[in-house]
Amino acid sequence: MEGIITNGGEMSVRKSLPVLVTPELETPGGYYFLSCLDQDIPFPMLTIYSYRTGSETVADVLKQALAKVLVHYYPLAGTMSLDSRGRFVVECTKNGVPFVEAVADGTIASLGDLRVPNEDTTRKLIYMDPKAKSYIELPLLTAQVTKFKCGGFTLGIAISHTVVDGVSGMNFINSWAEVARGQTLSVVPFHDRTLLQARVPPAPKYPYDDFVDIKDVSEMDSRYKNESNINKIFTFDAGKLADIKKMAMADGRLQACSTFSALAALVWKARCKALNMKHAQLTKLRILVDVRSKFKKPLPKNYFGNQVVFTCCVTTAGELSERPISYTVEQIRKACEQVDEEYVRSRMDYIDMYKPPLSTVSTLVISSWARLAYGTSNFGLGDPTQFGCGALASELCVFQPDGEKGIGVVMMLPESAMITFQDLIEQVFDQ
């Protein structure tokens, strides 16, 4: 196999040069409109699927199936561009999807827990165009199939978050898998994203605290730059999750409490302490909310594109530390409950009018993958045994499924802060 050898760590991977896979039939050209919700998340999503059993022809099967499924998901074969207003649009160039075949000299077991991003593993198992100098130059989709000595394989995916959210991205992967199994698509994508365009005239009515600019008075940025940054997963089984909810409701302030709100509150409070935020340090919690159920007239179930928005809580680290966890849960609940159709429409107007920059200083972003249907991504050789994110931004925390009813919290912190964070979480259950 001619290509690139990626060495280092416990495993070496030999990669082929990328081959461009194009839709096998004629597809629409021109420019593909991206909604205001698509404009809000300009970075790629990196994911790795692990399969215990492969075959000699697995790469060919996936490549042929990709050419077929791209007929339906044709924007992914295009390129990112900007319109006259500086907004993202997809140019349907039919340029194709870079597809890489690779062989690893290790076993699937040597990868460990793929839910925890490992920079070396990601570099070896996900193809990123080395010539791309900016986000707009990245392919909208890349795929890499890596075979292992044990007979298993991984599928590494880099897909534009501007084009898909988690559900739409998973629908694409599962449609690809259906085609690979010789089946017809159970979900044919709906492409009219003008259903989520800004209103004319625009009528924003919310302040949207997640765009508030925060100063780093606690010098956290220097810790991320000067220390080793550690990715780690903290697992909470059903019993621990129930204990956190009981703790949140113990003072009688709350009549009800969701598992998500209680766990998010615990993580936010502990992270602020672990980063040693000063009392007056402003801190934001940004939560990605799925809005598929928020519209009076629901969007088509097969709508292809982002249907998530951010909601936000802002407070000081001192208030977060001194007040009980019930206070934090209540702030999270209020932030999530305010997300209705008017909130979404107003936010689209706000983004379209102001194109506000996002500050990540003193910010925690929580995205829940707990309900993504990755277990059905069967390309004809069985369901994936593992599914994980290939990279984490310093402010991002991902909730992943763990066992039957548990949640794994995946996050990155400077090494010393991670030690403190772990101690704080352990203390919660030692009481």
Side-chain angles (χ1 to χ4, degrees):
M1 178 182 296
E2 294 183 0
I4 303 167
I5 300 177
T6 310
N7 295 309
E10 300 178 359
M11 178 180 68
S12 295
V13 175
R14 183 185 292 272
K15 299 185 182 186
S16 71
L17 296 175
V19 174
L20 291 176
V21 177
T22 56
E24 70 171 13
L25 300 176
E26 189 65 23
T27 56
Y31 289 92
Y32 181 88
F33 175 80
L34 295 175
S35 79
C36 290
L37 299 189
D38 298 320
Q39 309 294 322
D40 212 10
I41 318 178
F43 55 83
M45 282 193 294
L46 309 182
T47 52
I48 301 172
Y49 300 74
S50 170
Y51 297 84
R52 187 173 289 113
T53 304
S55 71
E56 284 298 316
T57 60
V58 62
D60 289 335
V61 170
L62 266 66
K63 193 188 305 179
Q64 292 167 16
L66 180 58
K68 294 179 185 296
V69 80
L70 284 175
V71 174
H72 303 279
Y73 290 87
Y74 63 89
L76 292 171
T79 57
M80 190 64 73
S81 185
L82 297 174
D83 66 13
S84 59
R85 297 180 57 205
R87 292 166 42 96
F88 291 121
V89 292
V90 172
E91 187 173 0
C92 296
T93 57
K94 308 169 194 176
N95 189 55
V97 173
F99 187 97
V100 171
E101 298 180 47
V103 176
D105 67 358
T107 64
I108 290 284
S110 69
L111 297 176
D113 192 340
L114 286 176
R115 294 175 300 176
V116 184
N118 178 286
E119 184 177 349
D120 181 63
T121 300
T122 298
R123 180 171 55 90
K124 292 172 180 175
L125 300 185
I126 298 178
Y127 173 74
M128 298 292 288
D129 186 351
K131 299 188 296 297
K133 296 178 182 177
S134 65
Y135 173 69
I136 203 168
E137 294 180 3
L138 287 172
L140 302 183
L141 171 68
T142 72
Q144 178 179 320
V145 174
T146 305
K147 298 178 184 177
F148 288 77
K149 290 169 62 176
C150 57
F153 73 98
T154 57
L155 175 61
I157 296 292
I159 191 168
S160 171
H161 211 325
T162 306
V163 179
V164 300
D165 61 8
V167 172
S168 289
M170 194 62 71
N171 284 343
F172 161 70
I173 295 293
N174 291 340
S175 294
W176 182 8
E178 285 178 330
V179 174
R181 298 197 306 270
Q183 300 176 357
T184 56
L185 297 195
S186 58
V187 177
V188 177
F190 178 87
H191 285 293
D192 184 6
R193 302 195 187 196
T194 61
L195 297 179
L196 290 178
Q197 63 182 335
R199 295 174 292 196
V200 180
K205 61 178 286 189
Y206 292 87
Y208 298 109
D209 290 337
D210 49 329
F211 296 113
V212 170
D213 188 30
I214 291 179
K215 304 300 181 186
D216 182 11
V217 299
S218 304
E219 299 181 350
M220 290 170 286
D221 187 53
S222 63
R223 293 186 68 179
Y224 278 100
K225 289 179 179 177
N226 297 328
E227 292 187 41
S228 297
N229 293 317
I230 307 297
N231 292 317
K232 195 159 188 172
I233 186 168
F234 296 86
T235 57
F236 300 85
D237 60 21
K240 285 185 177 180
L241 294 173
D243 288 343
I244 299 169
K245 290 175 68 174
K246 287 178 184 177
M247 180 175 61
M249 298 178 65
D251 62 4
R253 184 187 187 112
L254 303 172
Q255 298 303 310
C257 173
S258 71
T259 297
F260 175 86
S261 295
L263 184 57
L266 177 69
V267 170
W268 189 20
K269 286 169 67 72
R271 182 178 182 271
C272 287
K273 286 184 179 180
L275 286 169
N276 198 27
M277 292 187 189
K278 292 185 177 179
H279 192 275
Q281 174 72 61
L282 279 175
T283 176
K284 285 187 290 194
L285 173 63
R286 302 180 72 221
I287 302 166
L288 267 174
V289 178
D290 190 311
V291 299
R292 284 167 173 80
S293 64
K294 306 298 183 181
F295 295 96
K296 294 173 184 175
K297 181 181 179 182
L299 296 178
K301 288 184 178 180
N302 54 344
Y303 179 94
F304 181 61
N306 282 283
Q307 291 187 72
V308 291
V309 299
F310 282 105
T311 189
C312 185
C313 310
V314 180
T315 187
T316 63
E319 190 166 36
L320 204 60
S321 174
E322 292 169 0
R323 294 226 187 180
I325 189 173
S326 58
Y327 164 80
T328 310
V329 170
E330 191 170 34
Q331 302 313 302
I332 293 170
R333 179 182 58 79
K334 287 179 180 178
C336 292
E337 286 182 350
Q338 74 175 336
V339 180
D340 57 13
E341 181 169 359
E342 178 55 34
Y343 178 96
V344 176
R345 298 285 180 189
S346 172
R347 185 182 178 89
M348 290 192 294
D349 293 349
Y350 186 91
I351 293 170
D352 193 61
M353 285 180 67
Y354 301 113
K355 302 177 181 62
L358 269 178
S359 169
T360 60
V361 173
S362 192
T363 298
L364 173 63
V365 178
I366 294 181
S367 177
S368 178
W369 292 15
R371 296 181 181 178
L372 291 183
Y374 78 92
T376 59
S377 306
N378 177 358
F379 288 87
L381 294 164
D383 294 335
T385 54
Q386 283 202 77
F387 165 72
C389 51
L392 280 181
S394 61
E395 72 275 12
L396 181 60
C397 171
V398 177
F399 287 7
Q400 295 225 34
D402 184 69
E404 278 288 313
K405 297 181 180 179
I407 295 176
V409 174
V410 187
M411 62 190 306
M412 174 200 288
L413 282 171
E415 187 171 13
S416 62
M418 186 64 83
I419 293 170
T420 303
F421 182 89
Q422 181 168 335
D423 288 343
L424 290 168
I425 295 300
E426 289 175 351
Q427 289 170 20
V428 168
F429 299 103
D430 288 343
Q431 296 174 3

